[in-house]
Amino acid sequence: MENREISQAVISRLPRYLRFLGELKDQGIERISSQDLSRLMRVTASQIRQDLNNFGGFGQQGYGYNVDYLYDEIGHILGLDKRHNLIIIGAGNLGQALANYVNFDRRGFHTRGLFDSDPHMQGVVVRNMPVRPMSELEDFIRANAIDIAVLTIPKDAATLVADRLVRSGIKGIWNFAHVDLDVPDNVRVENVPLSDSLMKLSYNLRDLEE
Amino acid sequence: MENREISQAVISRLPRYLRFLGELKDQGIERISSQDLSRLMRVTASQIRQDLNNFGGFGQQGYGYNVDYLYDEIGHILGLDKRHNLIIIGAGNLGQALANYVNFDRRGFHTRGLFDSDPHMQGVVVRNMPVRPMSELEDFIRANAIDIAVLTIPKDAATLVADRLVRSGIKGIWNFAHVDLDVPDNVRVENVPLSDSLMKLSYNLRDLEE
């Protein structure tokens, strides 16, 4: 696992490998050839070999991939064997939806707190967590070793809150606000501009009509 | 706009151009050089030229891009000047969050109905829309010229519902369920596997720690 020059495009595809391998595991399948994995995932066998070769390759010619091993290795590569403590900022529908995703816990992402600037949201309880006021943000981050913040707030607020998060030592921001955040190099941001993918769908529909 | 071989990677980047150009428009800026756009968007000027050249290129040497024109053209390319009628299947937190996104309307995506299989959800009203039972699905799609369905339901349900949607003539599926849907070629699917991007963030944090 010494290769650190893996492209973000490959990294982006790893969770999908993990999902398919997890399903194979659940079905008790121990080995799979790159051809069979290719048919299942609808990507070329050469793409699969190329992607997995980034990590030294886990397959053996004529033997196929060991499902359990590959699953664990990809999980390790993605850092899913580490524990992350999350807070969600913005306790609206989207924030609540994310707070309720139990699968995140299985992957090592533990939501520890929920924040909202709206006084009417104080006292609301989501999955046994009370919605907290923004004034408690910094103390909570430090007291609970929070390393990831999820932003489900409007873009103007996101810009201001990101500065506070950075100053409090947050390492990762999962950003649902439609704005590019300006953060130092030692903070990682993953943007989830939801409507972008709806626009991509729109493009592909347009293509269909022509 | 005759080029139909535009890669999905370029298409994926267009909504971000649209967002930045929209902000420039709001600020009353009429022209921008590829260098200035590059600084603003933090991508190379050559990437910008390359992306926009896919559509014949809208810039003039020494003049820069006309913001309004480029904004409209990208919107047109993405098919945002067409009207789409949406239904949301799954009226949980995520479904409700999407139903409440007013920005979708501005882009031509109009949510017309909300469905849920849970009898306890019947009678709930989200943004003036009553949650409907799944038994009304097919009739509603036909009566309201629905072309896009948004799936915010668990994966087993998503597979079954996708078949019903295809048979009812749905053209596009915006799929938040963590499963690859098996649909005919004339139906477009855009997957939004939310936890995939959280895993990508996890990878990038791991990278930070080493």
Side-chain angles (χ1 to χ4, degrees), chain A residues 100-133:
Chain A
N100 282 310
Y101 270 20
V102 286
N103 277 347
F104 290 164
D105 291 279
R106 284 181 39 215
R107 296 296 192 202
F109 302 102
H110 302 280
T111 301
R112 304 293 304 278
L114 215 68
F115 290 80
D116 204 291
S117 62
D118 182 354
H120 298 293
M121 290 299 295
Q122 312 310 321
V124 172
V125 175
V126 181
R127 208 175 160 200
N128 295 323
M129 295 176 289
V131 175
R132 295 171 193 277

Side-chain angles (χ1 to χ4, degrees), chain B residues 114-176:
Chain B
L114 216 67
F115 290 80
D116 204 290
S117 61
D118 182 353
H120 298 292
M121 289 300 294
Q122 312 311 319
V124 172
V125 175
V126 181
R127 208 177 161 199
N128 295 322
M129 293 176 291
V131 175
R132 296 170 193 277
M134 291 298 288
S135 57
E136 295 179 8
L137 184 67
E138 285 80 0
D139 286 346
F140 190 89
I141 289 173
R142 293 189 186 111
N144 294 278
I146 303 299
D147 59 343
I148 296 178
V150 185
L151 295 187
T152 56
I153 49 180
K155 62 181 182 175
D156 294 337
T159 306
L160 296 170
V161 168
D163 289 340
R164 289 175 64 180
L165 293 171
V166 167
R167 282 198 300 272
S168 308
I170 280 282
K171 290 296 162 217
I173 298 177
W174 198 26
N175 177 36
F176 287 78

Side-chain angles (χ1 to χ4, degrees), chain A residues 145-209:
Chain A
I146 303 299
D147 59 343
I148 295 178
V150 185
L151 296 187
T152 56
I153 50 181
K155 62 180 183 177
D156 294 336
T159 305
L160 295 170
V161 168
D163 289 340
R164 289 175 64 180
L165 293 170
V166 167
R167 281 198 300 271
S168 308
I170 280 281
K171 291 294 162 218
I173 299 177
W174 198 25
N175 177 36
F176 287 79
H178 284 228
V179 64
D180 286 14
L181 301 173
D182 195 8
V183 300
D185 285 345
N186 63 345
V187 176
R188 299 283 187 254
V189 177
E190 188 68 30
N191 293 313
V192 191
L194 285 180
S195 59
D196 284 17
S197 74
L198 184 55
M199 292 188 206
K200 198 174 163 199
L201 180 61
S202 169
Y203 172 83
N204 287 322
L205 287 174
R206 174 184 177 279
D207 192 44
L208 202 66
E209 289 157 6

Side-chain angles (χ1 to χ4, degrees), chain A residues 43-82:
Chain A
V43 292
T44 64
S46 100
Q47 163 100 75
I48 290 176
R49 280 190 296 266
Q50 218 174 309
D51 282 346
L52 301 181
N53 275 343
N54 275 289
F55 314 102
F58 302 111
Q60 284 173 17
Q61 197 71 38
Y63 174 94
Y65 295 107
N66 179 317
V67 172
D68 265 356
Y69 178 75
L70 193 50
Y71 179 87
D72 289 345
E73 284 300 310
I74 291 179
H76 174 68
I77 288 158
L78 290 171
L80 302 182
D81 45 6
K82 295 188 181 165

